[in-house]
Amino acid sequence: MTNQTATSAKEKYASVYDYTNQVLDLIAKQDITKEEAAWVTRQTVENFRDHVNPGFLQYRKSVTKDTQFASVEWKDSGLNAFQDVNGKEYIDCLGGFGIYNVGHGHPKVKQAVINQMNRQALHSQDLLDPLRAMLAKILADVTPGDLKYAFFGNSGTEAVEAALKLAKMYSSRTTFIATTKAFHGKSLGSLSGTAKGVFRKPFLPMIPGFKHVHFGDIDMMRKTFEACAMTGEDVAAVILEPIQGEGGVNLPPEGYLKAVRALCDEFGALLIFDEVQTGMGRTGKMFAAEHYDVVPDIMCLAKAFGGGIMPASATIASEKVFSSFFENPFMHTTTFGGNPLACAAAIATFNVLIEENLPQRAAELGDYMLKGLREAAANYGDKVMEIRGLGLLIGVEFHNDEIGYEVSKGLFDNGVLVAGTLINAKTIRIEPPLTLTYEEADKVIATFKKVLGEVKI
């Protein structure tokens, strides 16, 4: 590049260059002034409105008081909380929809990523990359049953897409059974398994071959298997969340998952467990499948898989199933899946989960919070319908959306972040880091009780 060309380019993008310098200076700061905070807030709102999506501003406004809808997240505050740009602290009971199982910025996970970044951030794509191989072995050792081979991606929907392709390639069948209230992602294949109509309708028709049955209804599932066999549309796989997270924290009826496993075996279909939200210790065991003594043929992981530091996902399958990819390993690939930084984060995450016994801690603290939340709601049966969950995946179901919205707003105003499920506040999730302290849990319970008393219906 000649000096004249370089000068011309710098002149052309002078305003962008100045803006990037200003933002980079802010990124380098832990704490900022009131004036800087005001500038960040203004820039965030304006740029969401003009360049990201103004719908997010309206959504945020609808679940908080009008004066606070522009709260802008700025930095972590310990493992279990974060601060907005004005310094207000929030106990994180949303956990990035299940990202922060080992907490916000766990030092061991963060250090592993820094160490890897200092040596090599991304790989060449041609030579064998060691951390991907090591992480795959760890997954084979830690997952239940005969799950052995892993494909790595960047998000939950990618993990599901890989599972669907793997099931098709293994069986040469094209029919899938999913369930009502299921959420498996929003890319076209995973959206075909997702059951929320508002997400599906604008993109119809979906990938052909998907049938939905009621979650928990084993008779309906059997009849669907039988009908598919009679019509020559044999089922390739059943895809399920062992516990439905986005659908409202719905636990399966007793014996349901084992019965589904038996049906799959009877009809020669695979069983895919979507543990994107329930995995990595969230429900009180490393994987929710362990609660029900059921081993799937394929398991999907994401969210907390990257330790709250890196986007990362995995699709793990038995050798029998995964061998479909052996002949041509380029049949399904992704540029950034299994990159060294993500693998370093995932390896460190397993180390922390085991070292700090976080699955067991989730079981114990989850029981404590369930008991406390139920006691807090005992006199508010006109507002709260049910509180249910397993481990630290807890759902609070109200009699209607309006109550849920008001409770969510009240909790937010009092420094506790929660969220509804599938853009529905009738059931809100309490899904904190597994590192949440008992003191923080007590504050959440007390705040919940206080807000319930203030909400008018």
Side-chain angles (χ1 to χ4, degrees), residues 294-340:
V294 174
V295 177
D297 300 290
I298 306 173
M299 180 185 288
C300 302
L301 299 174
K303 293 191 183 294
F305 185 63
I309 300 291
M310 293 296 299
S313 69
T315 306
I316 314 99
S318 64
E319 182 171 3
K320 177 181 71 172
V321 174
F322 203 95
S323 61
S324 303
F325 282 176
F326 285 177
E327 184 177 347
N328 184 352
F330 299 102
M331 187 60 68
H332 185 70
T333 59
T334 176
T335 300
F336 294 109
N339 71 74

Side-chain angles (χ1 to χ4, degrees), residues 11 26 50 58 67 69 102 104 117 142 160 173 179 185 207 215 251 261 263 279 281 318 320 330 351 404 408 412 451:
E11 288 175 350
L26 283 168
D50 297 338
Q58 292 305 311
T67 57
F69 85 94
V102 298
H104 285 250
M117 185 181 294
V142 78
V160 171
R173 300 176 179 181
T179 60
I207 300 296
F215 181 74
L251 277 67
R261 172 76 273 181
L263 272 179
S318 64
K320 177 181 71 172
F330 299 102
N351 182 276
S408 295
F412 182 82
V451 169

Side-chain angles (χ1 to χ4, degrees), residues 38 78 83 98 145 157 163 185 198 282 348 350 357 366 373 421 438 455:
Q83 292 181 15
T157 197
V198 69
R282 168 59 56 188
F350 278 115
N357 200 18
L373 291 166
T421 52
Y438 279 84
V455 167

